[in-house]
Amino acid sequence: MVKTTDNMVTGTGQTDAGAQLHIQENAGEDILQFLDKQLSSVLSKSPVRPWYFWEPHNPWGISAPVVGSWGFLDICQDDHLTGLAAQFIGDDIILYDSQFYPDPATIRRHDIGDWQYDAGTCPASPHAGVVVRIILSDPAAQAAVLHLQNSTADISTTDLTLSRGMVIAHDLHRRYCYSGIQPGGPPFEYVIRYFPATSKYIRQQHSDFHKRMNVLYPLQNFSARPLWLVRGEDRADNDFVTGFMSRPGQWVVTDS
């Protein structure tokens, strides 16, 4: 069960509309087994490169040679997960990012015990979005806790004890940090990021956003990322052509 403190959502499968938080107890064994297998395959590579954990849903992305991207894309388009996202941003939804977290590059930049937030990863205007987290490993024995700031104007937090299969959806602007996670350990969650299709994804490479992201992530070009309309309709004339290649990605063998 989700363990709660003050200002928390009690129980599972509930949404706190004011705090923009939804918690469910189980992502489904099929999803968890696929993610476990993919993560195990990535960790078996030598050396393990940081970009192996980035954009695994993108068949043309930097991690595509080492993961089964089409399976990740199926998860990101799952009706149940996009239904969770719809509770935050409406029925018109665009997928723009996903990753295994934390990856080695993240660990080098900052401690996961430090406050952070995902709003800076989304160049959409008007600015809005939702993050869906699927907990993979079972960190319960380490008393791992996700701390979510309740709002930008409220320093109180919602504290969630993590367990395998837990699904946590929250507003893109909520700051968060972790405690009880063993430093230097492998990724323990798969994170999916969506924004509403009523917002427009900024493609201009020389915008302030992309200049900043090019410094933080020199191996990723956020301006050229492909977008997927995973629910509803596009209502902001978004560019769904950029980022796709004529030659599709190939399935990879992950058992070796």
Side-chain angles (χ1 to χ4, degrees), residues 11-44:
T12 59
Q14 299 185 23
T15 300
D16 179 347
Q20 287 291 277
L21 174 67
H22 187 103
I23 308 162
Q24 288 206 332
E25 196 165 274
N26 199 317
E29 196 56 36
D30 288 347
I31 288 177
L32 293 174
Q33 287 183 8
F34 172 82
L35 293 174
D36 286 343
K37 184 177 181 180
Q38 293 292 308
L39 181 57
S40 177
S41 176
V42 169
L43 294 174
S44 71

Side-chain angles (χ1 to χ4, degrees), residues 122-246:
C122 183
S125 181
H127 198 256
V130 61
V131 182
V132 176
R133 302 177 180 277
I134 302 174
I135 307 303
L136 303 180
S137 59
D138 188 352
Q142 304 173 42
V145 177
L146 170 63
H147 308 277
L148 283 159
Q149 189 171 332
N150 288 329
S151 73
T152 55
D154 184 356
I155 62 173
S156 64
T157 62
T158 297
D159 307 310
L160 304 174
T161 299
L162 304 181
S163 60
R164 173 178 166 79
M166 193 175 183
V167 180
I168 303 166
H170 64 84
D171 184 85
L172 190 73
H173 295 88
R174 291 189 68 163
R175 294 185 180 273
Y176 62 91
C177 67
Y178 297 87
S179 63
I181 301 292
Q182 182 178 353
F188 56 83
E189 62 179 348
Y190 179 55
V191 181
I192 310 170
R193 301 180 178 97
Y194 307 94
F195 71 91
T198 51
S199 295
K200 190 175 181 67
Y201 193 88
I202 299 169
R203 293 289 192 186
Q204 289 77 12
Q205 295 183 13
H206 299 295
S207 67
D208 289 341
F209 171 87
H210 291 300
K211 288 179 180 178
R212 178 175 62 84
M213 296 306 281
N214 286 341
V215 172
L216 293 174
Y217 304 95
L219 296 177
Q220 298 190 65
N221 184 355
F222 280 75
S223 68
R225 283 191 166 188
L227 303 176
W228 279 267
L229 183 66
V230 295
R231 189 181 180 101
E233 300 180 26
D234 174 41
R235 303 183 185 277
D237 193 27
N238 278 285
D239 173 3
F240 292 98
V241 176
T242 298
F244 290 86
M245 298 180 185
S246 57

Side-chain angles (χ1 to χ4, degrees), residues 14 46 52 116:
Q14 299 185 23
S46 180
Y52 292 172
Q116 53 193 296

